[in-house]
Amino acid sequence: MNTVEFYLSKGLDHKTAEYFASGKKRITGVVPNDDFTLTISFDNGEKRLYDMRPFLKKGTIFEPFIKPENFCRVYVDDTHCIAWDVDPNIDSNKVWNNKVDLCPDGCYIDSIPVGGVPSA
């Protein structure tokens, strides 16, 4: 495993360098919250809060999820990403552009511990 200094030398910011130096995390669960945040569980036992509000804008790929009933259809896909199917009646494994997803690395880095503040 590489050090924080290694990742900093590659141009990553400190928060991202610390994440990769400590080892990548796998998403094991997700719960949508009424305030358009997600409570995400990771394989290291952590639960973190991810704020989706900045992404939920008209004209973006996240527009369908501005509606609470669509936002609540979030799930962890088979690659351990946070995902939504644009149309729940279409199999996103067969129609790839039906799925919107977020990678585990970004979800971890850009979230805060449940009940806490972001790590430095």
Side-chain angles (χ1 to χ4, degrees):
M1 191 173 325
N2 291 311
T3 64
V4 171
E5 291 73 26
F6 170 81
Y7 291 107
L8 289 172
S9 75
K10 299 297 181 189
L12 298 178
D13 63 79
H14 201 269
K15 186 177 181 181
T16 305
E18 282 183 340
Y19 167 77
F20 283 107
S22 69
K24 294 176 67 146
K25 316 298 186 281
R26 181 180 289 203
I27 294 173
T28 59
V30 62
V31 176
N33 302 308
D34 291 340
D35 63 353
F36 293 98
T37 61
L38 301 170
T39 301
I40 305 172
S41 300
F42 290 88
D43 63 349
N44 65 349
E46 279 187 83
K47 286 190 181 213
R48 298 178 67 90
L49 197 63
Y50 189 84
D51 188 356
M52 284 296 300
R53 290 171 291 197
F55 302 100
L56 300 174
K57 306 249 187 259
K58 290 190 179 209
T60 71
I61 60 170
F62 292 103
E63 182 176 359
F65 312 109
I66 294 171
K67 294 180 179 179
E69 62 271 18
N70 293 339
F71 182 77
C72 289
R73 292 195 327 254
V74 67
Y75 64 96
V76 179
D77 72 8
D78 58 355
T79 62
H80 301 280
C81 293
I82 299 293
W84 292 265
D85 295 325
V86 176
D87 182 338
N89 300 310
I90 296 175
D91 183 349
S92 290
N93 291 321
K94 293 180 181 171
V95 182
W96 67 269
N97 64 349
N98 186 57
K99 183 165 80 171
V100 176
D101 61 5
L102 302 169
C103 80
D105 301 332
C107 287
Y108 189 91
I109 293 166
D110 296 331
S111 61
I112 61 170
V114 168
V117 294
S119 54

